[in-house]
Amino acid sequence: MIYLQLYLEFCKIGLVCVGGGYASMPLIQNVVVDTYHWMTISEFIDIFTISQMTPGPVGINAATFCGSKVAGVPGSILATMGFVSPALIICIIVMFLLKKYGEITSIKAILSGLRPAVTALMSVAAISFITLALWDSDHIPQDTLDIDLKAAIILVIAYILVRKKMSVIRLLILSGIMGLISGILFQ
Amino acid sequence: MAPEEKNASFYYELFKSTFVISAFTVGGGMVLIPLMKAKFVDEYGWINEKEALDLAAIAQSMPGVMACNASIMLGYRMAGLPGALTTLLATILPPLIFLTVISYFYEAFAANPYIRMVLKGMQCGATAIIINVVLQLLTKEIKRRLILPLLILSGTFIASSVFQADLMYCIAVDALIGLMFMRSSRYS
């Protein structure tokens, strides 16, 4: 019963993969490449390349791709469902506990410690996004002045629009259009 | 706060916003969170900023994919179980559709210059939104003039960006600092 197997195996992956992204890569590889031969190692590496330019976490992308290869569209849906089922259950339990015990001083204190940490981690993500947008690299290169001028201009326009409180969705669509137009005009 | 009356248009709006955010953003949970904050905290006011940050912190420290955890928890907080299912579905559908389609003609997709241009533009737009959210949060934190949160902020930033420290360790240390030294109500 390939459908059940896909669902259960990705359930297990979803349950134990901690850290996300590259941290979960060996684990997923172990199941889909080494144990079940659902895809080859080069296909598996392709998934990571695709993940760089399409939405979605690596785990979900791998689940979808594997499921689609092994058992078509129903397979991709079941594998992805399997992957997120544990998260759904765990998150709802945590939310329930938080509602019940969230007012306890110790829990409040821990959350107070974590809030600035989230801001810090978002700042790190923001910087890597800026370097990726302007220099197509995950760090600031030696040749700092060699920036992608088109990207810089779109970024500045988008920032002004954000400050003017443009809706997030409209802004993303508009940025995509600006990218296309500037790409065609200044090839 | 989320409207008391959870009618169809509320769920439609919740689904649509989450779907578009998930569809147009490439990157992990730390990218999804600022965008969801911009939408649900700043635009709609369905959840407050402190709660959104708390849930982000919890989502980060749990097993599983952070983006999914965060969207489930935010959805649950805004509208209970139906809300959690709505946001989860809206988060996984875009990659599910994209990957199923792309798995058939990946080569053509990756090589298409026009798709690259649109993706690049969207990347810049998402960057602008993230910069804005981060600057807002930083200004607020600085204006509070409390030493400990600022130390945690800068310490975590340096540990993560300069020393590439494991996020789980950072979270654990910060939680411990909070537990031991931040019990006073002025921190919450």
Side-chain angles (χ1 to χ4, degrees):
Chain A
M1 196 51 203
I2 185 70
Y3 293 124
L4 191 66
Q5 203 176 26
L6 270 174
Y7 180 85
L8 288 178
E9 281 308 319
F10 276 99
C11 238
K12 271 190 241 166
I13 297 177
L15 188 62
V16 288
C17 90
V18 182
Y22 291 96
S24 59
M25 188 175 170
L27 194 100
I28 301 173
Q29 185 196 331
N30 180 273
V31 176
V32 303
V33 180
D34 304 338
T35 311
Y36 288 97
H37 309 289
W38 281 334
M39 59 167 77
T40 65
I41 183 73
S42 81
E43 280 174 321
F44 185 69
I45 290 167
D46 271 351
I47 299 269
F48 279 79
T49 322
I50 298 173
S51 296
Q52 300 296 314
M53 47 190 302
T54 59
V58 174
I60 291 195
N61 289 351
T64 307
F65 197 95
C66 273
S68 158
K69 269 205 64 190
V70 176
V73 174
S76 70
I77 293 171
L78 276 171
T80 309
M81 288 296 168
F83 186 71
V84 297
S85 300
L88 185 63
I89 295 164
I90 296 173
C91 283
I92 285 169
I93 294 173
V94 169
M95 289 304 287
F96 180 75
L97 293 176
L98 195 68
K99 199 173 176 186
K100 204 165 175 197
Y101 302 108
E103 290 304 308
I104 293 172
T105 316
S106 301
I107 305 283
K108 274 186 165 174
I110 290 175
L111 289 174
S112 301
L114 290 182
R115 237 171 278 132
V118 172
T119 305
L121 296 178
M122 279 186 198
S123 312
V124 177
I127 290 173
S128 68
F129 254 64
I130 296 173
T131 59
L132 196 66
L134 297 184
W135 292 287
D136 253 326
S137 148
D138 54 0
H139 59 277
I140 299 173
Q142 296 273 304
D143 193 2
T144 316
L145 286 177
D146 184 25
I147 59 169
D148 182 345
L149 210 59
K150 282 177 288 182
I153 292 168
I154 297 174
L155 184 58
V156 171
I157 295 175
Y159 185 72
I160 293 169
L161 292 173
V162 172
R163 300 292 302 184
K164 291 200 179 303
K165 307 220 179 294
M166 177 185 256
S167 142
V168 169
I169 292 168
R170 221 176 275 169
L171 184 87
L172 285 172
I173 295 173
L174 193 69
S175 311
I177 296 172
M178 285 196 285
L180 185 63
I181 293 173
S182 69
I184 292 172
L185 287 182
F186 309 101
Q187 250 162 356
Chain B
M1 283 297 103
E4 286 301 313
E5 191 85 7
K6 302 282 194 315
N7 52 25
S9 76
F10 167 80
Y11 287 110
Y12 172 69
E13 204 59 48
L14 188 64
F15 182 85
K16 191 185 78 179
S17 308
T18 315
F19 186 89
V20 175
I21 289 173
S22 173
F24 291 157
T25 42
V26 184
M30 277 301 160
V31 178
L32 202 74
I33 293 278
L35 291 171
M36 290 181 106
K37 183 200 168 285
K39 190 80 197 169
F40 297 130
V41 176
D42 302 340
E43 253 177 66
Y44 289 150
W46 284 345
I47 184 172
N48 70 39
E49 184 179 292
K50 215 175 83 180
E51 277 179 309
L53 287 183
D54 284 351
L55 295 183
I58 297 168
Q60 174 75 58
S61 29
M62 277 174 28
V65 176
M66 191 215 169
C68 294
N69 292 344
S71 74
I72 294 169
M73 293 171 122
L74 286 171
Y76 190 86
R77 180 61 196 77
M78 286 186 276
L81 188 58
L85 290 174
T86 307
T87 48
L88 175 64
L89 196 65
T91 308
I92 62 174
L93 266 185
L96 188 70
I97 295 168
F98 271 115
L99 256 286
T100 309
V101 174
I102 287 169
S103 65
Y104 294 109
F105 44 94
Y106 164 62
E107 296 295 326
F109 175 84
N112 188 316
Y114 299 109
I115 291 179
R116 285 190 165 278
M117 289 170 194
V118 173
L119 287 173
K120 183 72 188 176
M122 282 179 176
Q123 194 184 42
C124 296
T127 309
I129 297 168
I130 297 166
I131 295 173
N132 189 46
V133 168
V134 167
L135 287 181
Q136 267 178 13
L137 294 173
L138 284 176
T139 335
K140 257 185 209 158
E141 201 62 78
I142 291 167
K143 275 190 188 148
R144 284 169 77 206
R145 292 173 183 282
L146 292 168
I147 300 293
L148 219 42
L150 285 176
L151 278 179
I152 291 180
L153 210 167
S154 41
T156 311
F157 180 82
I158 293 168
S160 169
S161 61
V162 181
F163 298 106
Q164 322 276 318
D166 193 325
L167 290 188
M168 296 313 270
Y169 291 122
C170 296
I171 295 271
V173 171
D174 296 332
L176 202 62
I177 296 174
L179 182 61
M180 291 195 297
F181 304 113
M182 297 172 77
R183 306 183 81 90
S184 147
S185 63
R186 70 198 158 120
Y187 288 119
S188 56

